[in-house]
Structures are given as structure tokens and as C-alpha cells.
Amino acid sequence: MSKPTLYGIWLSGPTYKAGLALSLMGQPFAYKHVDLRAGAHKQPEYLAINRFGQVPALVDGDLKLCQSGSILLYLADKFGKMGGKTPEEKARVREWLFWEFDKLAPNVYRPRAIKRGFMKADDSVYQLYTGLANDGLKVLEASLGKSAFLVGNEATVADVAVYGDVSYAGEAAIDLAPYPGVKAWMERVEKLPGFKKYEDVLPKQDAA
Ligand SMILES: N[C@@H](CCC(=O)N[C@@H](CS)C(=O)NCC(=O)O)C(=O)O
């Protein structure tokens, strides 16, 4: 069976989530660099893969998938890993995925984009996002007091998705010191077999 191909850019948090899930599941993948600066994500060839004109996308045989959360759930289902075991655990995984892209991801990614100079905004906008990120981090901190991972005591794709937000806090200049439970959980994720930082999981150019 041929390897799936991940489309993305190495600086993209959602692309990292898909790459990290593949790595943690021990699944090799081919990689296609999508040059966002050149507008490659809005060209007809790419829109035929991801109608939303965003990265990541995953092509697996005839299937063309997009939205990192959906890609994570697909991989969990396909490989029977990190998806939760019972119907309740699977539902809890989905709860975290919907929550993180509502309350956490944009509020970490946008201040990161401001700090890295990818997005122009004045300080009040930066403060608005980081305030909301801290609201999300407080929720995360409270939840992580109850179990080792987000859904029970085994890592799931919920951990991958949320890690793929929180791991950019430093670049967003969001201080994690008030969240010792979050920091301890990040260390647990970083010890999982197959774990890699984003710059190690995502190539900077096409890879077979
Ligand atoms: N909800 C999407 C968000 C993807 C996203 O925001 N991707 C960014 C790069 S990190 C992108 O493609 N931006 C270009 C655009 O939206 O036009 C997902 O999880 O896949």
C-alpha cells in the first residue's frame, strides 16, 4: 500500500498536527510543500485537493482530506490508534478537537503570527488574542489535573491537536509558567515514541 501524502508548510501548526499524528502512529508519509507566500494554496491544482484553500491536506489513495481535526480522526480510525477505545472516549476526543479549534488554536496561532511578523496588528489585538488564549489554558490546566492525558491515561489525537496549539505558546510570547499541569503534560507528550518537534517532523521541501 502506498504512503499517504501530507501537503503543508513547515511553519503551519495544523500541518504539524497531521505530521505529528503520523509520526506517533509510526506511519511514514510523503510530503508536498505548499508555498503559501506564492499563493500556491489558492491555485486550481491545490483547490482540487483542498476546496478551502488551506493547509494541511492529506491524500491517501483516492481520498483527498482536509481540516487537521478531520485528518487526525481519519488517521486514528484507519490505523486503529490514538482514537479512544470506547464510544465515550471517542466522543471525548471529538469534544477536545472542536474545543481546541474554537478556543485555543486561533488565540495561540494569531499572536504567534503577529510576533513572527506574518500578521500585522497593533498591540490591543495581540492582547485580545493572548487574553483569550489564557482563558483556554486555564480550562486545559483544570482538566489536566484529572488524568495523565486529555482522554484518560493514554495519549489520543486530542493530545496531538492540543499539543499542536500549546507548543507554539513560546513563539507567541505566551507564558506557560502559570500552568504547571500543562507543562507536565507537554513533557509526557514529548516522551511518546515517535514524538518530534515541528521542525523535525515537517520537511522544508517535497519529500518522497
Ligand atoms: N481549521 C484548519 C485551519 C488551517 C489553517 O488555518 N491553515 C493556514 C496555515 S497554518 C492556511 O492555510 N492559511 C491560508 C489561508 O487560510 O488562506 C485546519 O485545522 O486544517
Side-chain angles (χ1 to χ4, degrees):
M1 225 199 307
S2 65
K3 294 188 277 193
T5 302
L6 178 62
Y7 287 70
I9 187 163
W10 69 282
L11 283 163
S12 153
T15 306
Y16 176 43
K17 294 176 186 187
L20 178 58
L22 284 157
S23 184
L24 290 170
M25 292 178 194
Q27 297 299 327
F29 58 96
Y31 185 79
K32 289 269 182 207
H33 173 73
V34 181
D35 187 348
L36 296 195
R37 269 196 199 164
H41 54 311
K42 304 297 180 195
Q43 299 306 311
E45 313 85 76
Y46 186 74
L47 291 171
I49 296 170
N50 180 346
R51 62 198 176 284
F52 302 127
Q54 293 185 306
V55 293
L58 187 83
V59 175
D60 190 20
D62 292 335
L63 264 183
K64 298 176 180 70
L65 301 167
C66 62
Q67 291 294 328
S68 58
S70 178
I71 291 170
L72 295 186
L73 291 171
Y74 170 77
L75 294 173
D77 255 2
K78 171 161 177 161
F79 298 114
K81 292 180 181 172
M82 304 188 81
K85 295 204 167 53
T86 62
E88 179 183 343
E89 283 183 0
K90 288 175 198 285
R92 301 276 171 237
V93 168
R94 292 194 294 273
E95 287 175 356
W96 279 108
L97 294 180
F98 293 128
W99 176 82
E100 63 88 14
F101 234 103
D102 179 22
K103 295 291 185 187
L104 208 50
N107 300 320
V108 177
Y109 292 161
R110 288 179 186 153
R112 173 194 182 225
I114 293 168
K115 286 288 170 196
R116 290 200 61 140
F118 302 144
M119 187 185 264
K120 295 252 173 296
D122 62 31
D123 193 53
S124 63
V125 175
Y126 173 81
Q127 297 298 340
L128 174 69
Y129 284 131
T130 54
L132 292 168
N134 276 286
D135 291 345
L137 286 163
K138 283 178 200 141
V139 172
L140 192 57
E141 179 74 11
S143 299
L144 283 166
K146 295 174 191 139
S147 58
F149 291 100
L150 291 174
V151 181
N153 288 316
E154 280 180 34
T156 65
V157 289
D159 298 282
V160 176
V162 176
Y163 183 89
D165 303 327
V166 178
S167 57
Y168 294 93
E171 291 184 32
I174 295 169
D175 184 12
L176 292 181
Y179 310 107
V182 172
K183 287 171 74 176
W185 162 81
M186 289 176 79
E187 284 171 19
R188 287 195 287 281
V189 172
E190 288 160 8
K191 287 197 182 100
L192 293 170
F195 173 84
K196 290 182 185 167
K197 297 272 184 199
Y198 75 82
E199 54 272 44
D200 299 324
V201 90
L202 299 176
K204 296 193 177 58
Q205 57 215 6
D206 290 0

